Amino acid sequence: MTEFRTPGNRFHSQDFIKPDGRPLTLYGLAPIEVTSEIPSPSPEAVDARPVMRWHPLRGEWVMYAAHRLGRTFLPPPEYNPLAPTSDPEHPTELPRGKYDIAVFANRFPSLTLTAPQPEPGPAGTRAGVGACEVVVFSQSAQGRLADLSDEQMALLVAVWADRTTRLAEGGTVRSVLAFENRGVEVGVTLHHPHGQLYAYDHVPPVQARMLEQAQRYHTEQGRPWLGDFVAEERAGGERVVLDDGLTLSVVPPFARYTYETWVLPARPAARLSDLSADEQASLARVLKDALNRLDGLFGGRMPYLMTVHQAPLDGEYPEFPLHIELYPYLRAPGRMKYLAGTEQGAGEFANDKFPEVAARELKEVVL
């Protein structure tokens, strides 16, 4: 068992190997205690052979992972693969014991560090090299990410930082994206509260574009974009949903989704590991507040996509703006935001509501 530290903070973790060979790490606010065998839904080793092909007109890679067709899809309540194993005859992914968060290698990965080189094919076919991890937020199958305590939310931020550091250690991974899909509306097939981590051997187009724009701004203005953005939003005030001094939640003036919310550190930072313990705890609290406001908006669970944007890992990029983006998929009660013609065909969003109005509605939510 080991302790892992963030600046000024100390948490606990313990590493294990599953019967099928996949790694598992348990994290806790207190020392880890495991009271059962480490399980796997199957003892067979994962045989993933993902490949990638280059899209010459969009300038981006497309992942192909045929083995994912067999992944678990909306299982019955009595078989929840993300809950601790209750019947050894029907093992799940997690053991029984005392811990708060679990991370394990995805059994159906879109990328893997051991992907074999495929036969030559069209569009620059190559091995789908990277890593995919599942982050289970809680042992309980009920509830939401926002139901975690403030301390557990701070632990999750520290876990994201720790996994990013670990995935970068081999030198293959150049970018890590932590995210959560929530709701059947966005394609979720397991309702147990969980997220994922994708680690890429390249910088994906969204992060590459962010870095390019941030570097251009820094060259032209002589200072990071994030610092100026925070100052401008604080000065205006109408789009700031919550400001606790160290972290802000904002409906950005360029929001693409109706209630799109960003959670940002008040000072420029490039990665979660750049934040102090107090800043990580603040980020966690403001994120929790933002999630609760989205659910309170229409009196039910808001389907959303959450993405955590950090700088690439192949160098130092102080210009990159660390931040979390929340994309809510309801634009009004019962009305989904579908990505249609202009969004899919041109890459330009049409929004039904000005961000200033959306921010005011979010601020008025009673928690």
Side-chain angles (χ1 to χ4, degrees):
M1 190 185 310
T2 60
E3 291 180 337
F4 75 102
R5 299 169 182 264
T6 60
N9 222 336
R10 180 182 300 171
F11 299 112
H12 301 268
S13 69
Q14 192 167 356
D15 296 330
F16 303 89
I17 298 296
K18 290 172 160 291
D20 62 8
R22 289 177 296 138
L24 163 72
T25 303
L26 303 179
Y27 293 89
L29 298 172
I32 309 299
E33 295 182 22
V34 174
T35 58
S36 69
E37 297 293 324
I38 301 299
S40 289
S42 169
E44 301 297 323
V46 173
D47 182 22
R49 300 171 179 269
V51 301
M52 305 182 79
R53 290 181 177 178
W54 181 250
H55 192 308
L57 296 184
R58 295 180 64 97
E60 60 193 39
W61 290 102
V62 180
M63 297 177 284
Y64 297 87
H67 58 276
R68 284 176 55 80
L69 284 173
R71 67 187 187 275
T72 306
F73 181 79
L74 295 175
E78 61 269 19
Y79 179 68
N80 174 6
L82 301 185
T85 297
S86 58
D87 179 2
E89 295 298 316
H90 299 89
T92 65
E93 292 283 10
L94 300 183
R96 296 189 299 275
K98 294 182 179 179
Y99 55 90
D100 294 285
I101 293 173
V103 179
F104 57 86
N106 197 322
R107 190 163 157 240
F108 304 98
S110 298
L111 299 166
T112 176
L113 292 171
T114 58
Q117 186 59 39
E119 293 293 326
T125 298
R126 70 176 182 90
V129 176
C132 296
E133 296 185 337
V134 178
V135 183
V136 182
F137 300 146
S138 167
Q139 292 192 42
S140 172
Q142 309 304 316
R144 313 160 298 163
L145 172 56
D147 291 327
L148 299 186
S149 68
D150 287 352
E151 293 77 14
Q152 289 169 326
M153 287 291 291
L155 173 62
L156 175 60
V157 172
V159 167
W160 285 335
D162 184 58
R163 301 315 301 179
T164 301
T165 299
R166 289 200 194 197
L167 288 165
E169 287 175 350
T172 299
V173 169
R174 294 185 61 200
S175 184
V176 171
L177 180 73
F179 63 92
E180 181 197 10
N181 301 318
R182 194 182 78 170
V184 294
E185 298 89 343
V186 296
V188 172
T189 59
L190 292 173
H191 294 301
H192 192 119
H194 73 287
Q196 298 182 62
L197 288 156
Y198 269 44
Y200 309 90
D201 69 347
H202 58 282
V203 181
V206 170
Q207 286 68 34
R209 183 65 170 163
M210 283 183 183
L211 179 59
E212 177 188 357
Q213 293 297 102
Q215 289 177 327
R216 178 179 300 171
Y217 186 94
H218 192 276
T219 298
E220 294 173 351
Q221 304 297 327
R223 55 188 181 272
W225 173 84
L226 182 58
D228 283 359
F229 178 73
V230 168
E232 290 167 3
E233 291 304 305
R234 279 177 163 169
E238 59 184 343
R239 289 178 296 271
V240 176
V241 179
L242 178 65
D243 183 351
D244 81 344
L246 296 177
T247 306
L248 297 83
S249 60
V250 175
V251 179
F254 41 77
R256 299 177 302 163
Y257 292 84
T258 305
Y259 296 100
E260 180 175 338
T261 304
W262 286 27
V263 179
L264 317 100
R267 70 172 179 91
R271 301 189 187 110
L272 292 168
S273 56
D274 295 336
L275 301 179
S276 68
D278 287 343
E279 288 172 321
Q280 288 191 2
S282 170
L283 189 81
R285 286 193 302 272
V286 176
L287 173 59
K288 178 177 178 177
D289 178 89
L291 294 172
N292 277 318
R293 289 182 188 278
L294 290 176
D295 280 356
L297 191 63
F298 304 136
R301 294 194 179 194
M302 172 73 79
Y304 65 75
L305 169 61
M306 174 182 69
T307 53
V308 183
H309 297 276
Q310 303 183 78
L313 302 170
D314 58 351
E316 296 302 318
Y317 300 99
E319 310 91 345
F320 191 94
L322 166 69
H323 66 285
I324 299 173
E325 299 184 12
L326 294 167
Y327 313 142
Y329 276 77
L330 290 181
R331 52 192 173 89
R335 296 187 180 181
M336 286 282 293
K337 170 61 178 177
Y338 293 103
L339 303 189
T342 185
E343 291 90 359
Q344 295 279 33
E348 296 196 359
F349 277 59
N351 196 334
D352 299 337
K353 186 172 293 188
F354 281 105
E356 297 76 22
V357 178
R360 183 169 64 248
E361 293 177 18
L362 287 170
K363 282 189 280 191
E364 291 173 351
V365 172
V366 178
L367 300 178

